[in-house]
Amino acid sequence: MRCFSQELPPRVVLRGEIDLTTGPQLDLAYQKLAQLPPSDVVLDLAEVTFLGCVALRLVFGLSTRLAPTGHEVAVHAPSAPARRLLELAGFL
């Protein structure tokens, strides 16, 4: 996982299996993004092989924080496993 918080819009790139073991990294990314002024955030999921519910915490947290400001989380090229979970959760 990489967080490019200096880019405009900020971008988070997730790769491989996103499960409970990556939870602390996702929390750090959220904390870093939460310190920035509100803007759209790009979530790149092209290389995700497994997306667990722990990732929904990041997406939900960012979406909830940005919604009142008119900004959103833009999911970029979700892999099939990522797309399935995000669709089931109502994010796509």
Side-chain angles (χ1 to χ4, degrees):
M1 189 213 69
R2 303 257 340 248
C3 182
F4 299 92
S5 58
Q6 296 81 12
E7 292 182 7
L8 290 176
R11 183 170 53 109
V12 178
V13 179
L14 303 178
R15 292 186 179 125
E17 294 188 10
I18 309 303
D19 55 19
L20 287 175
T21 62
T22 55
Q25 291 174 301
L26 295 176
D27 289 342
L28 286 175
Y30 176 81
Q31 291 171 13
K32 188 182 287 189
L33 293 169
Q35 294 174 5
L36 300 174
S39 72
D40 291 343
V41 174
V42 175
L43 187 58
D44 185 335
L45 303 176
E47 297 183 44
V48 170
T49 57
F50 173 82
L51 191 70
C53 293
V54 68
L56 292 179
R57 188 173 62 218
L58 174 67
V59 177
F60 180 75
L62 287 173
S63 297
T64 301
R65 180 178 172 273
L66 295 175
T69 68
H71 296 286
E72 60 185 22
V73 177
V75 177
H76 173 73
S79 65
R83 176 175 292 284
R84 173 131 172 89
L85 180 63
L86 292 173
E87 284 175 345
L88 289 171
F91 287 108
L92 289 182

